[in-house]
């Protein structure tokens, strides 16, 4: 579009003035709280003419919507699609990526009314948002271009009409997996005429979810070949380090990469804010959550529309509570601050999105649920509470401010973890770092076998047919032994009465959500909680927070997937304590590393919520605790681990308990830095510590001190030989342990440098963790232990 760049000067001046006020704030020892400030000047647009062959009707509609020309990347995407290529477009937020696939799709449907397209978005919310954009085009174009969503909310009576009339079906991978592919005989018209498959937000398709989606797209391509079509894949993504490689792994096609944006970009500032030190000896900094609240308020009180990204659902609700108390005191001010996260019901989310677009909502606190491209208008400020775990996510969240034009600000408020402090003290690492790679492993045996079952249900397998990188005869033979397949005439047929797609969850162990029911008055459903989060969020005696309102959990029914809550005025929130055990199953590689050993292999991980803490609002005081025994979650995965020989441990001049504290302290530092060096999300990894002699590891960190007296872990044995496990957080693993095995020397070396350079005396959240969790000598032991492993520095 050729719309001019609009800069609201008064807002721009206010934004810059607030940033300048951060520059003069100091911490103990005169360390500035503003660790870094980068300025990115506005960039002008670069245009290209409409393609000659573009359908006249589409050219007319584009002109009516204000498009006189295309951005250069939009024209490049159209040309590549018109030439029959598969494409992946990687340009910044709000650069007009949507038109990169809408244009070739609508052009093809206008020229060939039998042509069909399938749009895949990662969430239902994004599907609805993009459907509105498509309807804006198709309604103006006239004619009969059927455009419909097909997801779990689509009424049964509408589904038959959609299958018959839809030129464009807007769906998500989950629905393709369970609702379309297994019922392909009802979708013949779509599959035999399918010309385009749109895969949006490609960067979200990584890890276990991306590995599943790659197999779903293999199944789709297999059915398309059966019905005589070969659709083109048009993908789009936020910035990641390997877009072409990821797109090719997902689709099995050779991709054309389009990554030079022609869209304009408004002036931007990006600040790193490091909370002030309030106790130098202990290295304690002011709460990052409290600082994020103050940073957000400094903008909100000036009327600047602000989004705050919080790392968890709990911190989201705590921040909403704080901001509402500060800004919703006057009559008529209710609703200017809203929360937004998974678990909110769809109507509530749509209401919040509309409020952001029309300006009635001044501030929103969100998990990464708003990181994706849902249209929430043009915001002024993005505040990030803590480094979100990847460079790509940080820039995606920052890009939610100033999406269209004008001056915008992003402020990353560092927390006290080593990962955040490493970034605050080495800002160039963040600003100049390469963006993370999206890693998937579609040939993970556990995932692959599940999708081979689904594919066999859909169509029999022919002799010599391939599905992914693994040899199929062995897998098909195994399924035949399990009496799921029967071989007849050289082909393998599905014989079981079961419906395999129902048993395969794309994201977690179980696809069942828990329903949260308010029983204060008439029972009513107020939210949902996913299966994996339920034991830690809505266990009995938990405080559940929804948009600043607190509820007490009265009943947790695991079998029925139901939780009963009652409104309660409390001045605290709850935080679950999780115990994790790791057992070695197989060693893939093992070798000496300096005076220790490094290994990677297969492990069995069991996790369980064993207790909870009560944390007071505002002061963050621990005001109580309780014990729990929630159901266990189990998985097989892969892990890297460091083994410290028992002889080296025995030579350390500390008591047995102090030695164990030192290992736990070291594990904290290693776990934080591992995510940084692997360039993966922090939540992709788990950390555990245990005794190699006993063949099992337990996350011991803080459990005895947090749960209370009488539950302290037994002291380690005299021949204690610790393992520090850093394991892949997904069943079967997605390939993180082997790179970490190779990065061992850097991980150990940087851990020693970080611990040695920290100014605290006995340990703090910025190096080995707080003294209360690692003991008064934890830092000292960790430092001596690393020196013993590596030799004098």
């Amino acid at each position: 579009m050729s719309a001019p760049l609009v800069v609201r000067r008064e807002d721009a001046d206010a934004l810059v003035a607030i940033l300048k006020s951060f520059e003069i704030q100091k911490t103990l020892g005169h360390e500035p709280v503003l660790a870094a400030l980068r300025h990115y000047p506005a960039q002008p647009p670069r245009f290209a003419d409409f393609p000659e062959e573009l359908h006249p009707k589409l050219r007319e509609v584009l002109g009516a919507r204000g498009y006189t020309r295309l951005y250069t990347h939009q024209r490049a995407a159209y040309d590549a699609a018109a030439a029959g290529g598969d494409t992946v477009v990687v340009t910044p937020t709000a650069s007009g990526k949507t038109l990169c696939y809408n244009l070739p799709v609508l052009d093809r449907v206008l020229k060939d009314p039998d042509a069909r397209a399938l749009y895949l978005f990662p969430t239902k919310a994004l599907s609805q948002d993009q459907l509105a954009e498509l309807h804006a085009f198709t309604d103006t174009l006239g004619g009969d271009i059927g455009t419909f969503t097909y997801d779990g909310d689509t009424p049964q009576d509408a589904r038959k009409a959609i299958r018959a009339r839809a030129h464009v079906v807007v769906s998500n991978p989950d629905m393709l997996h369970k609702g379309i592919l297994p019922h392909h005989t009802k979708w013949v018209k779509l599959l035999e005429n399918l010309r385009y498959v749109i895969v949006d937000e490609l960067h979200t398709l990584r890890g276990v979810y991306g590995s599943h989606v790659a197999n779903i797209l293999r199944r789709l391509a297999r059915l398309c070949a059966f019905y005589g079509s070969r659709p083109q894949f048009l993908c789009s993504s936020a910035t990641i380090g390997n877009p072409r490689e990821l797109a090719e792994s997902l689709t099995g096609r050779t991709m054309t990469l389009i990554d030079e944006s022609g869209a304009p970009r408004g002036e931007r500032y990006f600040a790193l804010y490091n909370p002030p030190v309030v106790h130098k000896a202990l290295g304690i900094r002011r709460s990052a959550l409290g600082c994020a609240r103050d940073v957000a308020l400094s903008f909100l009180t000036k009327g600047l529309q602000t989004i705050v990204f919080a790392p968890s659902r709990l911190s989201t609700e705590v921040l909403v509570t704080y901001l509402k108390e500060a800004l919703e005191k006057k009559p008529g001010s209710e609703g200017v601050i809203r929360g937004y996260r998974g678990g909110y019901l769809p109507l509530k989310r749509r209401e919040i999105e509309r409020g952001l677009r029309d300006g009635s909502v001044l501030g929103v606190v969100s998990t990464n649920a708003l990181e994706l491209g849902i249209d929430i208008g043009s915001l002024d400020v993005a505040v990030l509470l803590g480094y979100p775990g990847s460079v790509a996510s940080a820039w995606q969240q920052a890009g939610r401010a100033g999406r269209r034009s004008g001056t915008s600000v992003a402020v990353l408020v560092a927390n006290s973890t080593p990962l955040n402090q490493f970034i605050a003290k080495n800002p160039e690492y963040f600003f100049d770092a390469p963006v993370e790679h999206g890693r998937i492993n579609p040939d993970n045996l556990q995932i692959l076998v599940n999708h081979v079952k689904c594919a066999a249900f859909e169509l029999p397998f022919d002799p010599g047919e391939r599905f992914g990188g693994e040899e199929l005869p062995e897998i098909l033979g195994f399924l035949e032994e399990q009496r799921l397949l029967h071989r007849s005439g050289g082909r393998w047929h599905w014989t079981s009465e079961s419906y395999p797609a129902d048993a395969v969850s794309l994201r977690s162990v179980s696809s069942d959500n828990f329903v949260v029911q308010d029983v204060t008055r008439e029972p009513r459903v107020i939210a949902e909680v996913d299966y994996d989060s339920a034991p830690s969020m809505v266990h009995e005696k938990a405080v559940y927070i929804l948009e600043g309102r607190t509820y007490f959990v009265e009943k947790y029914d695991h079998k029925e997937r139901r939780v009963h809550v009652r409104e309660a005025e409390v001045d605290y929130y709850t935080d679950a304590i999780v115990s994790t055990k790791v057992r070695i199953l197989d060693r893939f590689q093992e070798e000496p590393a300096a005076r220790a050993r490094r290994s990677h292999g297969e492990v069995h991980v069991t996790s369980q919520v064993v207790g909870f803490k009560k944390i007071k609002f505002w002061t963050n005081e621990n005001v109580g605790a309780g014990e729990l025994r929630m159901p266990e979650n189990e998985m097989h995965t892969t892990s890297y681990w460091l083994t410290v020989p028992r002889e080296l441990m025995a030579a350390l001049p500390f008591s047995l308990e102090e030695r164990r504290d030192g290992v736990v302290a070291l594990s904290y530092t290693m776990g934080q830095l591992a995510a940084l060096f692997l360039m993966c999300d922090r939540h992709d990894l788990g950390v555990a510590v245990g005794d190699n002699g006993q063949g099992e590891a337990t996350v011991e960190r803080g459990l005895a001190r947090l749960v209370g007296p009488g539950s302290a872990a037994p002291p380690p044995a005299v021949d204690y030989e610790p393992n520090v496990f850093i394991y892949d957080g997904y069943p079967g693993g997605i390939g993180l342990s082997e790179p970490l095995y190779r990065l061992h020397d850097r991980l150990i070396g940087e851990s020693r440098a970080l611990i040695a350079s920290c100014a605290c005396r006995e340990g703090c959240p910025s190096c080995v963790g707080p003294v209360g969790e690692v003991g008064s000598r934890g830092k000292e032991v960790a430092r001596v232990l690393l020196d013993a492993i590596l030799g004098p520095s």
Side-chain angles (χ1 to χ4, degrees), residues 436 439 673-680 685 736-737 739-740 743:
E436 293 84 2
R439 291 186 175 89
L673 292 184
L676 192 67
F677 299 149
L678 279 176
M679 295 195 296
C680 70
L685 300 172
L736 297 177
S737 67
L740 197 53
L743 284 167

Side-chain angles (χ1 to χ4, degrees), residues 84 163 254 282 299 318 329 477 578 669 687 713:
R163 290 193 288 264
T254 301
L282 295 178
F299 295 108
V318 172
K329 293 176 181 175
V578 181
T669 309
V687 181

